[in-house]
Amino acid sequence: MSSQQGVKLQIESDHVVLDNGMLKLTISKPQGMVTGIQYNGVTNLLESRNDEIDRGYWDLVWSKTGSTLIVCRISGTSFSVIVENEEQVEVSFKRTWDPSLEGQLPSLIIDKRFIMLKNSSGFYSYGIFEHLAEWSPFNLPQVRIVFKLSKDKFHYMAVSDNRQRFMPLPDDRSEKRSKPLAYPEAVLLVNPVEPEFKGEVDDKYQYSCENKDLKVHGWICSDPAVGFWQITPSNEFRTGGLVKQNLTSHVGPINLAMFLSAHYAGDEMVLKLKPGEPWKKVLGPVFMYLNTTTDGGDPLSLWEDAKRQMAVEVQSWPYSFPASEDFPKAEQRGRISGRFLVHDWCVSETSIPGNGGYVGLAPPGEVGSWQIDGKGYQFWTQADEQGFFSIANVRPGEYNLYAYIPGFLGDYKFGSSVTIAPGSSMDMGDVVYEPPRHGPTLWEIGYPDRTASGFYVPDVDPKYINKLYVNHPDSRFRQYGLWDRYTELYPDKDVVYTVGKSDWAKDWFYAHIPRRTKEGEYVPTTWQIKFYVDSVGNTSSSDVGDYLLRVAVATAHVAELQVRINNQDMSSSPLFSTGVIGHDNTIGRHGIHGLYRLYEVLVPAALLWKGENIFYFTQTQIEGPFQGIMYDYIRLEAPPSSPHCLSLA
């Protein structure tokens, strides 16, 4: 589908219309709300029964420090034309701020931009956010774009190749057609319009996706065949790096472009501007792509076309057409390259290629700080089989070089900061990561990939099913209510894992959570790790040394882990405690990881016995069902000077 017409801009009293002959985009003036999208004979792809401010819009969530969160539609107060010619139209809807707005709006200048190109089946949007140092501080947990599509037309949703389906209607979530579950986002469909959905759970969090996999998602209308897709060609402006999870599309039909989000991370991820701190960031551009079939083709083929267009957009990044000087073009950016190596003396005497390792540039900070950063830009890639990496199109600025690699614990940070200049190309040479290592591995539980995906995920209770995830190859954990299965599987006793006999894929429950009693209350749970040793050496000798237990946590939500060894008395002081940690809310939101945390527990040799030893892992917090921990990986290491002082029986 193409058109020879150039882009036309029509300015009306309350609206502006962008038209390139393929689609017509109507935006309220000066507010900047998308009120209409005309395409392929359909007068409006958006839900025209909604108010004009409730069809296509930017919004944010903000608060003063310590105050209640406020949801705010971003409404412009002035309109201007940035570019207008046959090849391109770019328009701006800007909102300024002054002290008279204190407490009503966050202290931000927000410039929302929309771009339409000639012969392009879609439109772009980006935002320029600026906070001046002299303005009042505030917190900013979320920024996004929302499109509410016609509920009569868009019934099929696609997030990935194996996560797509016909969806329930928004009416099915009404009080007369659904039953509320443990939190407002989740409902059980008891009397849906289409009987095929009866007995299913609908919950928008079941369709979350990691940034690295969240490049295109959207909806399909069958009559006429039309696809509406949101394409994000770069992660540079998103918060939290490649594996940060975000919402995608959900019942409405609703399509989201998430920029800032605290989902699966909590308060640590919230962007917090301090007194006297200036901030400016460009969010986007993202592309809203529309497509259709020819000659009566299968509407579901529109997904394949959307993926092809996504590849085109990724290849075109950074775009050359945004007019803002705050969006640097390709020639204004830099490149960094090198070779990522790993040296774990317990695995190999020499450094080995960091095959599949993630290497990235992010704002300067502590080791691993990139996973909670939202103020700056991040640029990530994956090393090849030989460990070589190259990151192109990096915005000029000062960064730290960070890395991590599945199969090894911890995070890497290069010793000094890295400055990227416009047009520069920097070769870092060999970058060697030495993962944390105290001594030889005595035993391990799990695989260190920063998720709990390798552990036992139970079958869903048939009363709370989402048909999409039945026997799903990699998303079984997205079913509702799996936390309650722990009580059913372990009604009286908790997990007991015996090293050398148990299988973590079958015997280690994916989430360490409280047990629900018959009275509906919750109690702490204590998991045991049993292991046998033939000898602990001469514990009176000073050269035996201490052992080290490493616990990598994939996520935590208002949880506390206490560790004891060979002592089941829960009233006694633990060998180690995390304290109360986390606000990830991953368990209730069907994730398999949130923020990564790594702990080390020093285990004096005198506490080990010849024969059976037991670690007791207690999760103490019991105010609700979603409090708990997902483990990534657990490992016991021997003293470095005595590599063979322990042997598994």
Short mmCIF file of all heavy atoms in Angstrom, two decimals, residues 281-310:
data_model
loop_
_atom_site.label_atom_id
_atom_site.label_comp_id
_atom_site.label_asym_id
_atom_site.label_seq_id
_atom_site.Cartn_x
_atom_site.Cartn_y
_atom_site.Cartn_z
N LYS A 281 15.57 14.72 29.07
CA LYS A 281 15.64 13.43 28.38
C LYS A 281 14.64 13.39 27.23
O LYS A 281 13.52 13.90 27.35
CB LYS A 281 15.36 12.28 29.36
CG LYS A 281 15.59 10.89 28.78
CD LYS A 281 15.49 9.82 29.85
CE LYS A 281 15.81 8.44 29.28
NZ LYS A 281 15.76 7.38 30.33
N VAL A 282 15.07 12.77 26.13
CA VAL A 282 14.20 12.53 24.98
C VAL A 282 13.68 11.10 25.07
O VAL A 282 14.46 10.15 25.13
CB VAL A 282 14.95 12.75 23.66
CG1 VAL A 282 14.03 12.41 22.48
CG2 VAL A 282 15.45 14.18 23.55
N LEU A 283 12.38 10.95 25.09
CA LEU A 283 11.74 9.64 25.13
C LEU A 283 11.17 9.35 23.74
O LEU A 283 10.27 10.02 23.26
CB LEU A 283 10.62 9.62 26.18
CG LEU A 283 11.05 9.98 27.61
CD1 LEU A 283 9.87 9.96 28.55
CD2 LEU A 283 12.14 9.04 28.10
N GLY A 284 11.71 8.32 23.09
CA GLY A 284 11.32 8.00 21.74
C GLY A 284 12.37 8.47 20.74
O GLY A 284 13.50 8.79 21.12
N PRO A 285 11.97 8.54 19.45
CA PRO A 285 10.64 8.28 18.91
C PRO A 285 10.27 6.79 18.87
O PRO A 285 11.14 5.93 18.75
CB PRO A 285 10.71 8.84 17.48
CG PRO A 285 11.92 9.70 17.44
CD PRO A 285 12.87 9.10 18.43
N VAL A 286 8.97 6.54 18.95
CA VAL A 286 8.41 5.23 18.66
C VAL A 286 7.49 5.37 17.45
O VAL A 286 7.06 6.47 17.11
CB VAL A 286 7.65 4.65 19.87
CG1 VAL A 286 8.61 4.40 21.03
CG2 VAL A 286 6.52 5.58 20.32
N PHE A 287 7.21 4.25 16.82
CA PHE A 287 6.48 4.25 15.55
C PHE A 287 5.17 3.49 15.72
O PHE A 287 5.17 2.34 16.18
CB PHE A 287 7.33 3.58 14.46
CG PHE A 287 6.73 3.62 13.08
CD1 PHE A 287 6.12 4.75 12.59
CD2 PHE A 287 6.83 2.50 12.25
CE1 PHE A 287 5.59 4.79 11.30
CE2 PHE A 287 6.32 2.52 10.96
CZ PHE A 287 5.69 3.67 10.49
N MET A 288 4.06 4.13 15.37
CA MET A 288 2.77 3.47 15.30
C MET A 288 2.53 3.08 13.84
O MET A 288 2.32 3.94 12.99
CB MET A 288 1.66 4.37 15.83
CG MET A 288 1.46 4.30 17.32
SD MET A 288 2.95 4.60 18.32
CE MET A 288 3.19 6.36 18.06
N TYR A 289 2.59 1.78 13.59
CA TYR A 289 2.57 1.25 12.23
C TYR A 289 1.22 0.63 11.94
O TYR A 289 0.67 -0.13 12.75
CB TYR A 289 3.67 0.20 12.08
CG TYR A 289 3.70 -0.52 10.76
CD1 TYR A 289 3.89 0.18 9.57
CD2 TYR A 289 3.58 -1.91 10.69
CE1 TYR A 289 3.94 -0.47 8.35
CE2 TYR A 289 3.63 -2.57 9.48
CZ TYR A 289 3.80 -1.85 8.31
OH TYR A 289 3.85 -2.52 7.09
N LEU A 290 0.67 0.93 10.77
CA LEU A 290 -0.60 0.37 10.33
C LEU A 290 -0.36 -0.44 9.06
O LEU A 290 0.39 -0.02 8.17
CB LEU A 290 -1.63 1.47 10.06
CG LEU A 290 -2.18 2.17 11.31
CD1 LEU A 290 -1.20 3.22 11.82
CD2 LEU A 290 -3.53 2.82 11.02
N ASN A 291 -1.01 -1.59 8.96
CA ASN A 291 -0.87 -2.39 7.75
C ASN A 291 -2.17 -3.10 7.41
O ASN A 291 -3.10 -3.16 8.23
CB ASN A 291 0.30 -3.39 7.87
CG ASN A 291 0.15 -4.35 9.05
OD1 ASN A 291 -0.80 -4.30 9.82
ND2 ASN A 291 1.12 -5.25 9.20
N THR A 292 -2.22 -3.61 6.20
CA THR A 292 -3.39 -4.33 5.73
C THR A 292 -2.95 -5.39 4.74
O THR A 292 -1.81 -5.36 4.23
CB THR A 292 -4.41 -3.37 5.08
OG1 THR A 292 -5.61 -4.09 4.76
CG2 THR A 292 -3.85 -2.74 3.80
N THR A 293 -3.82 -6.34 4.48
CA THR A 293 -3.51 -7.39 3.51
C THR A 293 -4.00 -6.98 2.13
O THR A 293 -4.76 -6.03 1.97
CB THR A 293 -4.18 -8.72 3.91
OG1 THR A 293 -5.62 -8.53 3.89
CG2 THR A 293 -3.75 -9.16 5.29
N THR A 294 -3.55 -7.71 1.14
CA THR A 294 -4.03 -7.50 -0.23
C THR A 294 -4.70 -8.78 -0.72
O THR A 294 -4.34 -9.88 -0.31
CB THR A 294 -2.86 -7.15 -1.17
OG1 THR A 294 -1.88 -8.19 -1.12
CG2 THR A 294 -2.22 -5.83 -0.75
N ASP A 295 -5.68 -8.62 -1.55
CA ASP A 295 -6.35 -9.75 -2.20
C ASP A 295 -6.91 -10.75 -1.18
O ASP A 295 -6.82 -11.97 -1.36
CB ASP A 295 -5.39 -10.48 -3.15
CG ASP A 295 -4.83 -9.54 -4.22
OD1 ASP A 295 -5.59 -8.66 -4.66
OD2 ASP A 295 -3.66 -9.69 -4.59
N GLY A 296 -7.47 -10.23 -0.09
CA GLY A 296 -8.14 -11.09 0.86
C GLY A 296 -7.23 -12.03 1.62
O GLY A 296 -7.64 -13.13 2.01
N GLY A 297 -5.98 -11.63 1.86
CA GLY A 297 -5.04 -12.48 2.58
C GLY A 297 -5.43 -12.68 4.04
O GLY A 297 -6.29 -11.97 4.59
N ASP A 298 -4.79 -13.64 4.68
CA ASP A 298 -5.06 -13.97 6.07
C ASP A 298 -4.69 -12.78 6.97
O ASP A 298 -3.54 -12.34 6.97
CB ASP A 298 -4.24 -15.19 6.47
CG ASP A 298 -4.50 -15.63 7.91
OD1 ASP A 298 -5.34 -15.01 8.59
OD2 ASP A 298 -3.84 -16.59 8.35
N PRO A 299 -5.65 -12.25 7.74
CA PRO A 299 -5.32 -11.12 8.61
C PRO A 299 -4.17 -11.41 9.58
O PRO A 299 -3.43 -10.49 9.95
CB PRO A 299 -6.63 -10.86 9.37
CG PRO A 299 -7.70 -11.39 8.46
CD PRO A 299 -7.08 -12.59 7.78
N LEU A 300 -4.00 -12.67 9.99
CA LEU A 300 -2.95 -12.99 10.94
C LEU A 300 -1.56 -12.84 10.32
O LEU A 300 -0.56 -12.77 11.04
CB LEU A 300 -3.12 -14.40 11.49
CG LEU A 300 -4.43 -14.66 12.26
CD1 LEU A 300 -4.40 -16.03 12.92
CD2 LEU A 300 -4.70 -13.57 13.29
N SER A 301 -1.50 -12.77 8.99
CA SER A 301 -0.21 -12.53 8.33
C SER A 301 0.30 -11.12 8.59
O SER A 301 1.48 -10.82 8.35
CB SER A 301 -0.33 -12.76 6.82
OG SER A 301 -1.17 -11.77 6.22
N LEU A 302 -0.57 -10.25 9.10
CA LEU A 302 -0.15 -8.89 9.40
C LEU A 302 0.92 -8.86 10.49
O LEU A 302 1.72 -7.91 10.55
CB LEU A 302 -1.36 -8.05 9.82
CG LEU A 302 -2.43 -7.84 8.73
CD1 LEU A 302 -3.62 -7.09 9.30
CD2 LEU A 302 -1.84 -7.10 7.53
N TRP A 303 0.94 -9.87 11.35
CA TRP A 303 1.99 -9.96 12.37
C TRP A 303 3.37 -10.12 11.71
O TRP A 303 4.34 -9.46 12.12
CB TRP A 303 1.70 -11.11 13.32
CG TRP A 303 2.86 -11.51 14.19
CD1 TRP A 303 3.57 -12.66 14.13
CD2 TRP A 303 3.45 -10.75 15.27
NE1 TRP A 303 4.58 -12.69 15.08
CE2 TRP A 303 4.52 -11.52 15.79
CE3 TRP A 303 3.19 -9.50 15.82
CZ2 TRP A 303 5.31 -11.08 16.85
CZ3 TRP A 303 3.98 -9.05 16.87
CH2 TRP A 303 5.03 -9.84 17.38
N GLU A 304 3.46 -10.98 10.72
CA GLU A 304 4.74 -11.19 10.03
C GLU A 304 5.18 -9.91 9.34
O GLU A 304 6.37 -9.57 9.36
CB GLU A 304 4.62 -12.34 9.03
CG GLU A 304 4.35 -13.69 9.66
CD GLU A 304 5.46 -14.11 10.62
OE1 GLU A 304 6.64 -13.80 10.34
OE2 GLU A 304 5.14 -14.74 11.64
N ASP A 305 4.24 -9.19 8.75
CA ASP A 305 4.59 -7.93 8.11
C ASP A 305 5.04 -6.90 9.14
O ASP A 305 5.99 -6.12 8.90
CB ASP A 305 3.39 -7.38 7.33
CG ASP A 305 3.68 -6.04 6.71
OD1 ASP A 305 4.47 -5.97 5.75
OD2 ASP A 305 3.13 -5.02 7.20
N ALA A 306 4.39 -6.90 10.30
CA ALA A 306 4.79 -5.97 11.36
C ALA A 306 6.21 -6.25 11.82
O ALA A 306 6.98 -5.33 12.11
CB ALA A 306 3.81 -6.06 12.52
N LYS A 307 6.59 -7.52 11.90
CA LYS A 307 7.96 -7.86 12.28
C LYS A 307 8.96 -7.39 11.22
O LYS A 307 10.06 -6.93 11.56
CB LYS A 307 8.08 -9.36 12.51
CG LYS A 307 7.40 -9.87 13.75
CD LYS A 307 7.85 -11.27 14.12
CE LYS A 307 7.55 -12.27 13.04
NZ LYS A 307 8.01 -13.64 13.40
N ARG A 308 8.59 -7.52 9.97
CA ARG A 308 9.47 -7.03 8.91
C ARG A 308 9.66 -5.52 9.02
O ARG A 308 10.77 -5.00 8.86
CB ARG A 308 8.91 -7.41 7.53
CG ARG A 308 9.06 -8.88 7.18
CD ARG A 308 8.72 -9.15 5.73
NE ARG A 308 7.29 -9.00 5.47
CZ ARG A 308 6.41 -9.99 5.55
NH1 ARG A 308 6.81 -11.20 5.91
NH2 ARG A 308 5.14 -9.78 5.30
N GLN A 309 8.56 -4.81 9.29
CA GLN A 309 8.67 -3.36 9.44
C GLN A 309 9.49 -3.00 10.66
O GLN A 309 10.26 -2.02 10.65
CB GLN A 309 7.28 -2.73 9.54
CG GLN A 309 7.29 -1.21 9.54
CD GLN A 309 7.85 -0.63 8.25
OE1 GLN A 309 7.57 -1.13 7.17
NE2 GLN A 309 8.65 0.43 8.36
N MET A 310 9.35 -3.78 11.72
CA MET A 310 10.16 -3.54 12.92
C MET A 310 11.64 -3.63 12.58
O MET A 310 12.44 -2.78 13.02
CB MET A 310 9.79 -4.56 14.00
CG MET A 310 10.63 -4.48 15.27
SD MET A 310 12.09 -5.56 15.23
CE MET A 310 11.29 -7.16 15.33
#
